[in-house]
Amino acid sequence: MSDTVNDARVSFTVNGREAHVRADHPHLLAALREELDITSPKDGCSPSGQCGCCTVLLDGKAVVACQLPLTRAAGKSIVTLEGVSDEERDTYASAFAAVGGLQCGFCIPGIVIRAKAQIDKKGADLAPHDMARHLGAHLCRCTGYVKILDAIDAVAKGKRLPVELGAEVGASGVKYEARELALGDRGYVDDIRVPGMLHAALHLSAHTRARVRAIDTSRAMAAPGVVAVFTAADVPGELRVGIIYKDWPVLIPVDGLTSCAGDVLAVVVADTRQNARAAAELVDVDYEVLRPLVDAVAAIDDPEIAVWGTDSNVLSISDYQRGDVDVALAGAAHVVHEVFQTQRIEHAFLEPESTLAVPTLDDAGAVAAMHVYSGGQGVWDDRNDIARVLDVDTSRVTVELVSNGGAFGGKEDMSNQAQTALAAWLLGRPVKCTLSREESLLIHPKRHPIRLEYWAGCDAEGALTAIRVRAVGDSGAYASVGMKVLERAAGHASGPYRVFSIDVRAVAVRTNNPSCGAFRGFGANQAQFAMEGVIDRLAESVGISGWEMRKRNVIRPGELWGPGQIMDDGCAGAERCLDAVKPAYEQAREAGKAVGLGLGLKNSGLGNGFKEIARAVVRFATDGTVEVRHCWTEMGQGIHTVALQVAAQELAIDPARIKVVVDTTRELGAGQTTGSRGTLMGAGSVADACRAALADGCKVDVDYEGEFRVDWTNKLTDDVEHPIIHSAFGYAAQMAVIDRATGKIERVIAAHDVGRAVNPTLCEGQIEGSVHMGLGYALTEDFPADDRGFPTNMTLRSLGILRAKDVPPIDVMLIEVPQPRAPYGIKGVGEIGLVPTAGAVAAALHDLDGTWRATLPMRAADTGDD
Ligand code: FES
Ligand code: FES
């Protein structure tokens, strides 16, 4: 046996130092992170090697550490970002910060290592297209790669760019904590270690619909390193949790029924993650297998109930009518009837869910309180539900937000927070549970597949006269926010257009497929893919261009929209976006390109009668620093930077004095970080807190609280002639240009009315990332389930996410039509970015080959991509 490997230990050099690690780690990444506490390489998908987050240098060559057995690392030299010289670290961190080349940051340390390997070899000769090819081993779900490649190019060419925080609203300063994120120094939940910490793993159901006859934990208990195994029988309080309906069991008990592939049967706690996961496989469950319900339309009338504890397969119905659609359609010069079908897709945030629960013991050794570290999007909901599961007062539970590695709506529901807190509570010891990529895919809710049947009519000039929409969304097993997603799809069914008669009905259906819930766009994407398809089909019938059809119908201030809302001056942004793309549209058509256009709108904020109140605190310290405390989840979108720039402007101080703190100890509760509302409401509450401070002379150690509220919207069901369903919308026009010779998308032009761009660089980055996601949604992404309700694409690679080399150039145009009653006129940009994309791509493909498409994804093969 070599002197670098023996029965117990493996030796290699890490960052210039000798390391001797246990030989039983499954791969190098586990040894680095779990034994050596080197956490800049992140774990996004181990051991599958498909995300690139764990990339390290092995004898100078970039390799993914999760694919490297320790035997192959033995005797080698390994370098992570912790071991790179300070000067070089500064060079990379500055470049990524300066150009906005990162959002959540989870993917970046691995990408920096890959870039270093290439730049070390090729220096200034490293071409961006070459680097894009090398990034084929990496995924970034946030940025669209545009600014990542800009950052790498800056390093390769030796450009030094200014790295400054933005001192006011509208300044393109660097992202808060950008340097730490780029280097992997800003920890995510899985990077936190506390003394005495144990590891938990979950045992998931083998059947999507089955009665649990018995659970035998004896083999798991006897496995090496196992401390405890918990089942539903150990839950002291309520079994079910949920953001709106409490229908989601945290553990399925004996005699209970499973309802989807993500159901949890047992929690295994052990000394190491590896031991916990191995033992979780040994939990034996006896099932009586039942027929799963996997067809949403059929489930509506199925006599059997799909989900345990519910009494109907219809989760919700959202409907509204204006005018007489039958008469209008009968009198229309042109009518279109089409059925559109969108697909289920996966968020694929790069950081799998992780929770760390740390109990505090009283003098008698009993658990007095619980502190939970979470990267979720709704820590207040999480706290309340954890307290219900533990059967304790909410005052004994604190959920501390840790900025996460991407979410996009997929971290609104609890995933493993309750099970982890339960284990820590029962054991009186800190417990961490980090999901594997497969568990993450199985557990958190997805984007809804929706069947949308449209009938639409227009007059001879192309003016829309009527639409009728019947939509059925497969919401999967648990409610999550599925009814709200279908409500949003209903509300946005007519897109940003004026329609005189409208009749919409959208049904959310429970099945035994993966649960569906919030995902960037929240039902607006599905509806507007269909509506844009209708607009283009009608334009062809009328004999006018897609641009002209949109111009003739775009909603304008003072006109009636969708459910009857009279649109405010903010909606002038829709036409402004359309006008902004006109020159490029005409130029591309004249050049003989295949061109498609999409116009979209997306609400900001919850609306629908919900009272939204956000608070923030500004606090001056004796050392001259100023704390800005808010409670929004930073998930890459830049809410910390927004808070900083607003405070710098209002207080007229150097932004370097400001420290942004996510505070979940004060009752700042703003609800979920969702619905494009963080920037709008966060900015409003921080500005208000600053004004309170200024009015009082900015005294030291005083909490100056500010508030922003939106409490003037109406529900769809309110008996109001002109309901204000939403207080604000963002608008966008996007254009896809296809080269007829290759069939490839060669450019996307995205004109976005954001009301006010607080930080134009970050705003642009949000849009580029959204367009990347939108192109995947349009062409390649899918998360289907089999006839038992089990997902079939269970790896990151199989999800169809576009890699760097496949992303066309994206030209972003920022337009600022201020939103009335919003701070600085902000509209929010988090979700609108991919609302028009699929429609634009479908129209461009039709222009290319004359075929109308009504089903997503339209597949790479359709575009000629390989
Ligand atoms: S964690 Fe290694 S490639 Fe994803
Ligand atoms: S910045 Fe790349 S995954 Fe978030």
Side-chain angles (χ1 to χ4, degrees):
M1 181 168 290
S2 130
D3 60 354
T4 51
V5 183
N6 61 43
D7 283 345
R9 315 296 289 180
V10 176
S11 300
F12 43 75
T13 308
V14 184
N15 299 329
R17 292 200 179 154
E18 282 291 308
H20 310 283
V21 299
R22 291 194 324 269
D24 63 351
H25 290 290
H27 39 66
L28 175 64
L29 180 64
L32 293 174
R33 289 186 56 84
E34 302 306 318
E35 188 169 342
L36 299 176
D37 280 348
I38 294 173
T39 55
S40 74
K42 307 299 178 193
D43 186 345
C45 70
S46 72
S48 68
Q50 296 184 0
C51 74
C53 296
C54 66
T55 303
V56 300
L57 294 178
L58 182 82
D59 286 348
K61 193 163 174 264
V63 297
V64 284
C66 74
Q67 287 259 289
L68 201 75
L70 284 189
T71 45
R72 283 186 43 210
K76 301 275 171 54
S77 166
I78 290 140
V79 175
T80 68
L81 278 175
E82 287 87 344
V84 173
S85 75
D86 287 347
E87 190 188 344
E88 212 173 350
R89 281 165 60 85
D90 184 60
T91 301
Y92 280 99
S94 299
F96 275 82
V99 305
L102 77 174
Q103 291 181 30
C104 79
F106 199 81
C107 67
I108 302 297
I111 287 176
V112 169
I113 286 286
R114 177 82 53 185
K116 175 176 159 45
Q118 286 303 309
I119 293 172
D120 285 353
K121 215 188 313 177
K122 299 180 188 151
D125 292 338
L126 177 62
H129 69 267
D130 209 11
M131 191 62 223
R133 212 170 33 79
H134 286 289
L135 287 184
H138 296 255
L139 277 177
C140 174
R141 193 60 160 160
C142 300
T143 64
Y145 304 102
V146 179
K147 295 189 188 325
I148 286 178
L149 289 166
D150 290 347
I152 296 171
D153 196 49
V155 177
K157 305 285 186 309
K159 286 186 215 151
R160 294 297 291 194
L161 302 167
V163 183
E164 283 162 14
L165 292 165
E168 60 192 1
V169 171
S172 267
V174 303
K175 185 181 173 66
Y176 188 71
E177 294 181 326
R179 300 172 63 89
E180 295 86 342
L181 284 164
L183 297 170
D185 291 347
R186 219 287 333 277
Y188 301 87
V189 174
D190 193 50
D191 297 333
I192 304 172
R193 281 99 175 88
V194 295
M197 185 174 81
L198 297 168
H199 296 265
L202 308 177
H203 179 93
L204 302 187
S205 179
H207 302 281
T208 58
R209 186 161 176 261
R211 183 171 302 283
V212 177
R213 289 196 188 114
I215 303 174
D216 181 354
T217 61
S218 55
R219 284 200 308 140
M221 260 318 289
V226 170
V227 175
V229 182
F230 299 114
T231 66
D234 299 300
V235 174
E238 301 286 334
L239 202 58
R240 290 183 168 88
V241 298
I243 298 173
I244 298 174
Y245 298 154
K246 305 296 180 196
D247 65 346
W248 195 327
V250 297
L251 288 153
I252 305 296
V254 171
D255 289 334
L257 265 64
T258 66
S259 302
C260 66
D263 275 330
V264 182
L265 276 298
V267 188
V268 178
V269 187
D271 54 349
T272 66
R273 177 174 303 164
Q274 198 183 350
N275 280 339
R277 285 185 178 171
E281 305 269 311
L282 302 177
V283 173
D284 295 306
V285 182
D286 182 22
Y287 298 96
E288 176 194 345
V289 180
L290 305 171
R291 175 177 65 91
L293 279 63
V294 294
D295 180 321
V297 173
I300 293 174
D301 297 317
D302 197 298
E304 293 193 38
I305 297 295
V307 179
W308 181 49
T310 66
D311 56 11
S312 171
N313 293 336
V314 174
L315 174 61
S316 68
I317 298 174
S318 305
D319 58 358
Y320 59 92
Q321 298 80 32
R322 266 194 298 118
D324 192 327
V325 170
D326 288 327
V327 169
L329 286 177
H334 304 280
V335 173
V336 161
H337 174 218
E338 184 71 86
V339 177
F340 299 86
Q341 178 67 55
T342 69
Q343 80 280 44
R344 182 184 303 103
I345 65 167
E346 153 65 18
H347 303 75
F349 35 73
L350 268 287
E351 178 210 19
E353 299 90 331
S354 183
T355 301
L356 169 62
V358 183
T360 311
L361 305 185
D362 62 19
D363 292 344
V367 177
M370 178 68 71
H371 194 92
V372 180
Y373 297 89
S374 169
Q377 291 177 251
V379 290
W380 309 97
D381 293 330
D382 297 356
R383 177 196 64 174
N384 295 345
D385 268 345
I386 289 169
R388 290 173 67 251
V389 169
L390 299 180
D391 195 23
V392 299
D393 191 83
T394 52
S395 62
R396 293 173 72 187
V397 179
T398 305
V399 181
E400 179 174 334
L401 256 181
V402 179
S403 301
N404 66 38
F408 313 112
K411 291 179 180 171
E412 287 192 11
D413 300 86
M414 288 206 291
S415 53
N416 60 356
Q417 287 93 332
Q419 295 90 346
T420 312
L422 173 75
W425 187 271
L426 295 175
L427 289 168
R429 291 183 62 181
V431 175
K432 185 197 282 180
C433 179
T434 300
L435 299 186
S436 67
R437 178 55 63 180
E438 292 73 21
E439 289 165 338
S440 173
L441 292 172
L442 288 169
I443 292 177
H444 69 256
K446 316 297 170 195
R447 187 188 296 291
H448 284 74
I450 305 183
R451 179 188 190 276
L452 299 125
E453 186 165 11
Y454 270 67
W455 294 260
C458 68
D459 66 17
E461 307 304 315
L464 286 169
T465 52
I467 65 166
R468 169 167 288 134
V469 181
R470 294 291 178 263
V472 176
D474 182 350
S475 219
Y478 299 117
S480 179
V481 291
M483 49 283 185
K484 294 290 169 192
V485 172
L486 268 292
E487 181 184 71
R488 211 67 85 246
H492 287 67
S494 57
Y497 303 109
R498 175 181 62 247
V499 187
F500 295 102
S501 298
I502 186 165
D503 170 16
V504 178
R505 178 181 163 94
V507 183
V509 184
R510 291 185 191 263
T511 66
N512 298 114
N513 288 321
S515 298
C516 289
F519 194 159
R520 197 178 213 172
F522 208 86
N525 312 29
Q526 294 94 322
Q528 289 179 76
F529 165 64
M531 185 63 196
E532 290 303 279
V534 162
I535 287 282
D536 282 316
R537 285 158 175 79
L538 286 173
E540 187 179 68
S541 299
V542 176
I544 57 177
S545 73
W547 188 90
E548 185 59 34
M549 183 73 186
R550 287 167 176 83
K551 181 76 173 177
R552 292 182 190 185
N553 288 286
V554 64
I555 191 86
R556 297 186 173 97
E559 293 179 342
L560 282 187
W561 173 78
Q565 177 162 349
I566 298 175
M567 297 300 266
D568 60 28
D569 288 348
C571 97
E575 189 169 11
R576 285 276 303 278
C577 291
L578 200 52
D579 290 343
V581 299
K582 188 180 184 199
Y585 182 80
E586 288 179 345
Q587 202 180 8
R589 281 163 55 104
E590 278 163 21
K593 307 287 183 187
V595 184
L597 193 57
L599 187 64
L601 86 170
K602 173 68 184 64
N603 65 289
S604 297
L606 304 178
N608 284 284
F610 202 85
K611 290 205 182 342
E612 300 185 69
I613 302 168
R615 297 188 188 89
V617 164
V618 168
R619 192 178 166 91
F620 293 77
T622 45
D623 64 2
T625 59
V626 181
E627 281 182 0
V628 176
R629 294 177 168 265
H630 68 80
C631 61
W632 301 93
T633 303
E634 173 61 68
M635 45 195 171
Q637 82 280 42
I639 185 69
H640 288 353
T641 316
V642 167
L644 179 134
Q645 290 187 207
V646 167
Q649 162 150 333
E650 293 294 330
L651 300 172
I653 61 171
D654 180 352
R657 284 176 58 195
I658 298 170
K659 193 171 161 217
V660 183
V661 180
V662 180
D663 188 329
T664 43
T665 56
R666 291 165 173 79
E667 290 288 336
L668 304 177
Q672 299 271 338
T673 304
T674 185
S676 307
R677 61 200 284 267
T679 295
L680 194 160
M681 300 204 64
S685 56
V686 171
D688 194 45
C690 292
R691 286 169 201 144
L694 290 168
D696 192 48
C698 299
K699 298 193 179 85
V700 167
D701 287 342
V702 173
D703 271 12
Y704 291 108
E705 189 171 295
E707 180 181 288
F708 185 77
R709 60 169 61 210
V710 176
D711 54 6
W712 65 83
T713 64
N714 303 110
K715 292 185 188 141
L716 266 180
T717 49
D718 283 353
D719 189 18
V720 180
E721 189 183 0
H722 296 301
I724 301 172
I725 301 298
H726 296 293
S727 61
F729 296 88
Y731 302 89
Q734 291 183 0
M735 208 179 103
V737 182
I738 295 180
D739 181 327
R740 289 189 190 276
T742 63
K744 296 200 179 217
I745 296 176
E746 62 176 35
R747 185 165 293 278
V748 173
I749 295 163
H752 279 250
D753 169 31
V754 300
R756 182 77 193 274
V758 178
N759 181 314
T761 301
L762 297 196
C763 196
E764 247 178 50
Q766 282 280 299
I767 294 166
E768 289 162 356
S770 297
V771 169
H772 165 254
M773 198 179 262
L775 290 173
Y777 184 52
L779 292 170
T780 48
E781 289 190 35
D782 205 354
F783 193 68
D786 63 18
D787 59 5
R788 299 177 308 143
F790 276 87
T792 52
N793 288 347
M794 285 299 291
T795 61
L796 282 177
R797 188 168 291 141
S798 63
L799 298 175
I801 298 167
L802 298 183
R803 300 271 170 172
K805 68 177 176 46
D806 301 318
V807 180
I810 302 165
D811 300 339
V812 176
M813 289 185 244
L814 293 180
I815 289 161
E816 296 183 317
V817 176
Q819 176 60 40
R821 300 178 79 173
Y824 313 106
I826 292 168
K827 286 176 171 165
V829 71
E831 296 174 285
I832 178 71
L834 70 157
V835 168
T837 319
V841 172
L845 290 171
H846 173 259
D847 194 13
L848 179 71
D849 63 13
T851 303
W852 291 118
R853 287 152 176 91
T855 301
L856 294 181
M858 294 177 276
R859 296 292 181 196
D862 282 356
T863 66
D865 289 353
D866 51 29

